[in-house]
Amino acid sequence: MTVAQEPQALDFECETGNYHTFCPISCVAWLYQKIEDSFFLVIGTKTCGYFLQNAMGVMIFAEPRYAMAELEEGDISAQLNDYEELKRLCLQIKRDRNPSVIVWIGTCTTEIIKMDLEGLAPKLEAEIGIPIVVARANGLDYAFTQGEDTVLAAMAQRCPTQAATEEEKEERNSIKKLLSFGKKKSETKEESEDKDRPPLVLFGSLPDPVVTNLTLELKKQGIQVSGWLPSKRYTELPVLQEGYYVAGVNPFLSRTATSLMRRRKCKLIGAPFPIGPDGTRAWIEKICSVFGVETTGLEEREAKIWESLEDYLKLIRGKSVFFMGDNLLEISLARFLVRCGMTVPEIGIPYMDKRYQKAELDFLQKTCQEMGVPTPKIIEKPDNYNQLQRIHEMQPDLVITGMAHANPLEARGINTKWSVEFTFAQIHGFTNARDILELVTRPLRRNNSLKDLGWDKLVKEEAKV
Amino acid sequence: MKLAYWMYAGPAHIGTLRIASSFKNVHAIMHAPLGDDYFNVMRSMLERERDYTPVTASIVDRNVLARGSQEKVVDNIVRKDKEETPDLIVLTPTCTSSILQEDLQNFVDRAQLDAQGDVMLADVNHYRVNELQAADRTLSQIVQYYINKARKNGDLPSGKTEKPSVNIIGMTTLGFHNNHDCTELKRLMVDLGIEVNEVIPEGASVHNLKNLPRAWFNLVPYREVGMMAAEFLQAELGMPYVNITPMGVVETARCLRAIAKVLNEQGANVNYEDYIDNQTRFVSQAAWFSRSIDCQNLTGKKAVVFGDNTHAAAMTKILAREMGIHVVLAGTYCKYDADWFKEQVSEYCDEILISDDNGAIGDAIARIEPSAIFGTQMERHVGKRLNIPCGVIAAPIHIQNFPVGYRPFLGYEGANQVVDLVYNSFTLGMEDHLLEIFGGHDTKEVITKGISADSDLNWHKEAQAELNKVPGFVRGKVKRNTEKFARDRGINEITLEVMYAAKEAVGA
């Protein structure tokens, strides 16, 4: 057997698209929390409402800043006037909550009855005096996290082109001030070189602590982040001008990236995503290389993180993980887990943007080669039924999957991790690498402690799919 | 358009799916966009189901929108028929297919030509019926289909079982405590010497539906699901039914007497009076509880009841009639069946509220300020906000309402369970009240001080702010670990940097 010098090419396949995932309207759950002065109005049916109510669990009780505009039979048959109906509801929202922006989430139903949300929004916006952003996050076109992509792509149009007045600026720069506070000058590189560089704006919604953390990592290398899309408040959306650099932090943001490039004339830095210490380092290095900055101390930093993960790595080294695919984080997570020493027979993924994810795909391929493991088969639009057949055949050590399949697989003696947790947990940057492994190893640790009980299989018949 | 945050009853297709997946070896195929198969998640999570939920979607995407489903639905049905050889495939319309107006019946007819199993289109319209109505309809539709099929094939069994027997109709997956209720009813039937002929739909095979007519009567314990099927069986085959929910001691007795009457009319010659008397006075604790001093303390206390028809009506009667509690308001979200509810509870409460707007019920609770609420999970959260205890008696429900332990609401054991639920709700309220009177046992502050008092470290403002973002229940741990990390390294000022470093080093 000869060891091929050429990295083994990735193998892409496309199945039937009969798979389980969350509806993209679920993005309101994390976006309304992220953008504190927003209100999300989902224009759809009881089906959408029922999904949100059940998927959001306890969040629904916390007076959320989102609601359904529930379409009734009169709306479908156009007996009621869409504009008047939306105006009535939006005025009610303005009165009760007074948000800085109302985001309309278009759904399957508004698509099918061709409700012209993009046309209605500017008119209503002028009339009620609140910005209305339209995002068509529907199940006809998108899966789960892609919902955020549609919202951010729409938001990108609303980013100001001019820096705000001094007073507003003061507020906008609060994050910068926060970061430079109390730090010795010597810890970071001089910022003077910043001036001749075009500003860098990062896109992707992350919890505030992670935003602070990533901003700080770049700052250590002397890179100033001039803004984030989205920011904590709608009124603080970053300035975007032609020639600005932008970089994504999540793999599902292709439309936002396209929108930033084509409509806002920004330059996209295509990098692997800062998930796992390897990804974070590659992400920082790529950004630095674009700005012509020599990185310092990254290699040691990565090595130190890996060292601190050793207790978890011991558990998963040599084990196999199967991604059924439902949230588009799969490529990055698989790449990280290969680096951790796992093998990945299959990566299911709802949608594969080979251009936006190019750097990540290359990195995956390189990682597999370096680790000496076969490259995974990447299955776009997977077929869950076929996947279950393959899972039962190959008996992977871990299946990362949606909740619909998790319990049935566990009952058949197969370890599972619920994939949705990866979208809600903090997984970005050096600091959070441990959290990813905490999630990945949890079923293994749990089942390790149960393994002598002899209760592996808890269904009677031979695993019937 | 309606501004809505929360809904009590789900969309129609959920009802159909609940029926289909309750049967054994029945598969439902939803004509729906990606993401609408959320039912599988609910069933797998809430019911902690070990088997794959037999529901798949025939995905409606852009292409379907542009050219129609064409072969897709038919192919999906035929494929599923081959893969899993179900007895029946139920094609389930959703809100999306309601507007697309594709000829789903035609798809069913075409698929039937190639499929070995039966194929049927669920006759539900998203915009006309809700989850509960759809479940009732679909169950009735499946029963009719197999009765008619057996009739056509000439294998509809004639005659009744030798001993008195019953069909229990309406037990479904994701139903509120349905599996425990089912067990309890079966036990009750054993006690009464009645054979259980069939239980549908939960755990039933469609092949057995033709045996339904062999039972002497049908028992429909829940108002919401099963009545249509029972009425069909009565109209077509002359089968009598009893639809008194045996919840609470008085209603259980009434149900048993109705059963006795139905059986005696067919010549059974049974008398359950001794059984009822013995159960009521000596076996069940509910009647004795009503008489005890504990229950005396509850006299005249104010309560609000809200839920589905079955549980809200039964609960109202139990509270008012069996415990002497003052039900100020009883309400239901089953608007389509409001008259029945009014008739059931009007003499047991001051006010009746028929609404599916949780704002309205929330406001009513705030206005009335009851000592306890009996409602759904939504009312439980209203109660939390207002500091009023709440016992959950109806769907919508969370995972904690699918207990592993035996918790029926029906029959004599059910009456015991309801006593505990009611009494625990009220005493908790009482305990809280007393604590407040006596100044409370506020040890929280003391404990935190004890653990963090030795902090000689200086927390930077940002680090402190960052720490405050950490969820309360782990904040103490993060703080301690960070400080330990700092102390070990001789750092006496905790900045953001130190926090991150600590997290990386010790997972603080």
Side-chain angles (χ1 to χ4, degrees):
Chain A
M1 205 172 141
T2 52
V3 180
Q5 283 305 302
E6 276 294 292
Q8 194 186 340
L10 291 169
D11 180 9
F12 294 94
E13 270 178 40
C14 187
E15 277 190 316
T16 62
N18 279 324
Y19 64 103
H20 166 77
T21 182
F22 271 15
C23 174
I25 60 173
S26 52
C27 68
V28 306
W30 64 88
L31 288 176
Y32 94 81
Q33 293 191 339
K34 174 71 196 177
I35 309 170
E36 291 170 359
D37 53 353
S38 62
F39 191 99
F40 285 79
L41 184 67
V42 182
I43 305 163
T45 61
K46 248 185 186 326
T47 308
C48 315
Y50 196 65
F51 163 69
L52 275 182
Q53 153 178 335
N54 283 295
M56 301 313 130
V58 292
M59 273 196 272
I60 191 105
F61 301 109
E63 301 235 354
R65 291 187 317 280
Y66 66 82
M68 292 292 308
E70 193 183 316
L71 300 169
E72 291 164 304
E73 199 159 14
D75 297 303
I76 304 304
S77 52
Q79 284 160 351
L80 297 168
N81 181 304
D82 297 338
Y83 183 79
E84 289 305 323
E85 290 295 298
L86 283 168
K87 183 175 154 189
R88 186 169 57 80
L89 300 192
C90 288
L91 282 173
Q92 193 181 335
I93 292 165
K94 184 182 177 184
R95 195 186 61 223
D96 297 346
R97 306 296 183 97
N98 195 29
S100 310
V101 61
I102 298 177
V103 182
W104 285 353
I105 303 288
T107 62
C108 304
T109 310
T110 57
E111 288 296 313
I112 297 168
I113 64 175
K114 300 196 167 32
M115 192 185 281
D116 182 20
L117 297 177
E118 277 96 344
L120 297 174
K123 275 205 298 190
L124 193 56
E125 178 171 323
E127 201 174 335
I128 69 171
I130 295 182
I132 296 174
V133 172
V134 180
R136 301 176 173 196
N138 62 70
L140 294 168
D141 300 306
Y142 305 110
F144 195 11
T145 48
Q146 287 181 289
E148 173 180 322
D149 192 23
T150 63
V151 173
L152 296 189
M155 288 254 175
Q157 305 309 311
R158 302 301 185 108
C159 291
T161 47
Q162 287 287 321
T165 61
E166 278 307 309
E167 204 172 74
E168 288 165 353
K169 211 180 200 168
E170 190 71 4
E171 207 174 314
R172 177 168 299 138
N173 285 346
S174 56
I175 187 162
K176 259 192 231 169
K177 269 196 345 210
L178 187 114
L179 288 170
S180 50
F181 186 92
K183 204 176 307 131
K184 286 182 215 105
K185 214 46 177 176
S186 60
E187 273 181 78
T188 57
K189 294 185 181 179
E190 284 303 313
E191 285 166 35
S192 57
E193 13 181 339
D194 253 26
K195 283 176 192 133
D196 6 305
R197 280 185 213 140
L200 170 68
V201 172
L202 301 178
F203 59 95
S205 164
L206 293 177
D208 292 337
V210 183
V211 167
T212 318
N213 190 232
L214 287 180
T215 311
L216 203 62
E217 294 292 355
L218 285 171
K219 192 173 167 82
K220 271 189 202 156
Q221 303 299 333
I223 305 274
Q224 189 75 48
V225 177
S226 79
W228 281 77
L229 172 71
S231 32
K232 262 170 88 85
R233 301 177 63 81
Y234 177 76
T235 49
E236 294 166 12
L237 281 178
V239 173
L240 283 178
Q241 286 174 15
E242 188 168 344
Y244 274 31
Y245 278 104
V246 291
V249 295
N250 265 323
F252 44 77
L253 298 171
S254 15
R255 285 172 64 90
T256 310
T258 311
S259 188
L260 289 168
M261 286 190 293
R262 299 215 180 125
R263 317 259 318 246
R264 304 305 302 255
K265 311 281 182 234
C266 297
K267 284 183 251 175
L268 177 72
I269 301 175
F273 300 98
I275 293 169
D278 50 339
T280 307
R281 178 178 160 198
W283 183 72
I284 296 173
E285 281 177 346
K286 182 65 195 280
I287 292 173
C288 288
S289 79
V290 168
F291 286 111
V293 170
E294 191 85 19
T295 59
T296 48
L298 271 186
E299 206 177 329
E300 298 77 21
R301 184 139 165 74
E302 190 195 344
K304 239 177 96 185
I305 297 286
W306 282 115
E307 210 175 288
S308 71
L309 300 177
E310 186 52 34
D311 52 338
Y312 279 152
L313 295 179
K314 265 193 282 197
L315 292 168
I316 53 174
R317 231 171 245 138
K319 298 229 157 73
S320 58
V321 54
F322 188 110
F323 286 86
M324 285 187 77
D326 70 349
N327 59 16
L328 282 92
L329 294 171
E330 292 88 2
I331 302 288
S332 310
L333 287 173
R335 176 261 304 152
F336 168 56
L337 293 179
V338 167
R339 178 63 70 186
C340 290
M342 296 186 88
T343 56
V344 186
E346 175 164 333
I347 307 177
I349 186 166
Y351 168 74
M352 183 72 249
D353 186 335
K354 288 184 195 161
R355 281 167 63 197
Y356 176 65
Q357 293 220 45
K358 177 158 194 321
E360 185 63 88
L361 286 167
D362 291 346
F363 196 27
L364 168 69
Q365 200 177 340
K366 187 168 146 251
T367 305
C368 288
Q369 195 198 7
E370 285 172 8
M371 297 302 289
V373 297
T375 54
K377 193 172 266 190
I378 297 172
I379 311 269
E380 204 180 347
K381 289 177 177 292
D383 184 294
N384 280 168
Y385 181 85
N386 295 344
Q387 285 185 314
L388 290 175
Q389 308 296 323
R390 294 197 287 268
I391 287 169
H392 287 301
E393 201 174 301
M394 62 176 82
Q395 297 280 318
D397 297 302
L398 180 67
V399 175
I400 296 184
T401 180
M403 203 62 217
H405 295 111
N407 269 337
L409 281 168
E410 289 283 350
R412 285 159 182 77
I414 291 173
N415 299 322
T416 60
K417 183 73 222 147
W418 185 31
S419 55
V420 172
E421 286 189 58
F422 291 99
T423 52
F424 292 111
Q426 302 189 357
I427 60 168
H428 293 75
F430 287 121
T431 319
N432 292 316
R434 214 180 157 76
D435 294 45
I436 308 178
L437 290 185
E438 165 70 28
L439 289 178
V440 170
T441 57
R442 191 175 300 156
L444 303 170
R445 283 179 284 131
R446 195 269 309 264
N447 293 345
N448 268 347
S449 47
L450 305 184
K451 70 170 182 268
D452 297 329
L453 296 171
W455 297 340
D456 273 10
K457 295 228 165 72
L458 294 150
V459 282
K460 277 184 187 156
E461 328 92 288
E462 246 324 279
K464 190 184 163 193
V465 179
Chain B
M1 265 181 225
K2 194 167 88 179
L3 196 64
Y5 298 89
W6 173 266
M7 64 189 67
Y8 285 99
H13 69 266
I14 298 287
T16 296
L17 298 180
R18 277 176 57 187
I19 297 300
S21 57
S22 294
F23 278 106
K24 256 192 312 206
N25 212 24
V26 170
H27 199 100
I29 294 186
M30 300 167 66
H31 186 241
L34 196 65
D36 275 3
D37 57 352
Y38 191 71
F39 177 80
N40 298 30
V41 176
M42 288 178 58
R43 186 157 180 271
S44 177
M45 262 173 87
L46 299 177
E47 292 260 27
R48 237 171 266 106
E49 183 56 56
R50 300 172 198 221
D51 279 314
Y52 298 104
T53 299
V55 173
T56 42
S58 174
I59 303 283
V60 176
D61 58 14
R62 263 306 143 184
N63 292 328
V64 170
L65 224 52
R67 335 167 290 139
S69 292
Q70 300 196 353
E71 300 303 316
K72 198 169 184 179
V73 176
V74 177
D75 288 349
N76 277 320
I77 295 174
V78 175
R79 176 185 160 187
K80 196 46 72 181
D81 181 68
K82 284 211 179 70
E83 284 168 355
E84 302 196 14
T85 56
D87 299 323
L88 168 68
I89 291 178
V90 180
L91 181 60
T92 309
T94 59
C95 58
T96 307
S97 44
S98 281
I99 335 172
L100 286 177
Q101 298 189 332
E102 286 193 274
D103 189 356
L104 297 182
Q105 185 59 54
N106 175 266
F107 294 156
V108 163
D109 295 342
R110 275 162 57 201
Q112 185 66 84
L113 296 176
D114 291 325
Q116 299 300 306
D118 298 313
V119 189
M120 162 193 296
L121 172 66
D123 174 27
V124 293
N125 179 327
H126 175 90
Y127 294 94
R128 303 278 164 86
V129 295
N130 70 17
E131 169 186 355
L132 301 170
Q133 293 163 290
D136 200 15
R137 259 167 194 274
T138 304
L139 179 58
S140 158
Q141 200 188 344
I142 293 176
V143 167
Q144 287 189 36
Y145 181 91
Y146 282 97
I147 294 287
N148 289 336
K149 189 177 173 185
R151 223 185 230 158
K152 217 174 92 196
N153 295 345
D155 56 0
L156 199 64
S158 59
K160 301 287 173 189
T161 55
E162 206 176 310
K163 283 196 199 153
S165 62
V166 61
N167 298 316
I168 300 175
I169 301 183
M171 297 296 169
T172 65
T173 188
L174 291 173
F176 183 71
H177 292 240
N178 274 198
N179 50 347
H180 307 302
D181 283 349
C182 188
T183 310
E184 185 62 19
L185 288 181
K186 282 183 188 165
R187 283 186 186 172
L188 193 58
M189 294 303 131
V190 170
D191 283 358
L192 299 176
I194 298 172
E195 282 172 3
V196 176
N197 185 52
E198 296 289 339
V199 176
I200 62 168
E202 185 63 49
S205 157
V206 289
H207 296 312
N208 291 354
L209 290 176
K210 62 169 185 282
N211 296 330
L212 285 173
R214 287 178 54 77
W216 290 35
F217 74 105
N218 293 317
L219 177 61
V220 186
Y222 307 117
R223 173 73 189 169
E224 290 78 14
V225 180
M227 278 303 293
M228 277 180 79
E231 271 161 9
F232 164 79
L233 291 168
Q234 186 185 43
E236 288 287 306
L237 303 158
M239 294 182 75
Y241 64 79
V242 172
N243 66 337
I244 299 164
T245 304
M247 185 171 153
V249 175
V250 178
E251 289 296 288
T252 302
R254 203 158 75 86
C255 176
L256 297 192
R257 290 188 180 112
I259 291 174
K261 182 160 173 277
V262 158
L263 293 181
N264 287 338
E265 276 165 6
Q266 298 175 63
N269 194 21
V270 293
N271 185 342
Y272 298 143
E273 290 307 324
D274 289 347
Y275 177 78
I276 293 172
D277 183 63
N278 189 48
Q279 285 288 328
T280 306
R281 291 201 294 144
F282 307 114
V283 180
S284 152
Q285 298 296 313
W288 159 232
F289 172 79
S290 307
R291 192 63 208 231
S292 72
I293 299 299
D294 276 346
C295 191
Q296 204 179 84
N297 281 332
L298 301 180
T299 308
K301 281 202 175 291
K302 287 195 290 183
V304 167
V305 179
F306 192 80
D308 60 8
N309 268 357
T310 302
H311 293 92
M315 201 65 197
T316 304
K317 290 183 205 169
I318 293 173
L319 292 172
R321 193 164 56 185
E322 297 178 24
M323 298 183 178
I325 287 160
H326 179 192
V327 180
V328 183
L329 178 139
T332 179
Y333 55 79
C334 299
K335 279 160 83 173
Y336 63 94
D337 197 17
D339 292 340
W340 180 87
F341 186 76
K342 286 181 195 155
E343 181 211 314
Q344 293 290 310
V345 303
S346 50
E347 55 179 305
Y348 301 108
C349 61
D350 305 347
E351 287 175 49
I352 294 175
L353 177 72
I354 310 290
S355 173
D356 55 5
D357 171 11
N358 72 282
I361 175 74
D363 290 347
I365 292 171
R367 169 172 55 82
I368 293 166
E369 290 190 53
S371 311
I373 309 165
F374 297 93
T376 69
Q377 278 292 338
M378 191 61 215
E379 283 70 49
R380 191 172 73 83
H381 283 267
V382 171
K384 261 186 167 172
R385 212 175 298 159
L386 300 173
N387 262 322
I388 301 171
C390 177
V392 174
I393 57 155
I397 37 185
H398 283 169
I399 198 151
Q400 68 263 37
N401 302 114
F402 289 87
V404 178
Y406 188 52
R407 300 260 194 283
F409 270 66
L410 303 187
Y412 288 107
E413 178 54 27
N416 290 343
Q417 297 289 337
V418 171
V419 163
D420 283 342
L421 180 77
V422 171
Y423 185 64
N424 289 342
S425 301
F426 277 107
T427 45
L428 277 181
M430 183 56 116
E431 193 174 271
D432 261 13
H433 180 61
L434 286 176
L435 274 172
E436 216 163 274
I437 290 177
F438 293 117
H441 51 57
D442 194 5
T443 53
K444 229 189 214 161
E445 200 59 27
V446 183
I447 291 171
T448 356
K449 266 186 193 148
I451 290 165
S452 59
D454 62 336
S455 175
D456 49 348
L457 294 164
N458 197 0
W459 280 76
H460 245 281
K461 222 164 77 189
E462 297 70 43
Q464 186 64 51
E466 193 71 24
L467 183 67
N468 289 340
K469 283 184 205 153
V470 174
F473 60 96
V474 287
R475 197 178 300 145
K477 184 182 150 216
V478 171
K479 189 172 183 210
R480 280 195 303 280
N481 286 348
T482 308
E483 291 186 348
K484 182 171 182 298
F485 172 86
R487 225 171 267 131
D488 290 350
R489 284 158 186 76
I491 302 168
N492 47 23
E493 190 154 270
I494 295 176
T495 61
L496 266 182
E497 289 272 322
V498 175
M499 271 188 88
Y500 290 130
K503 181 168 187 189
E504 281 157 26
V506 293

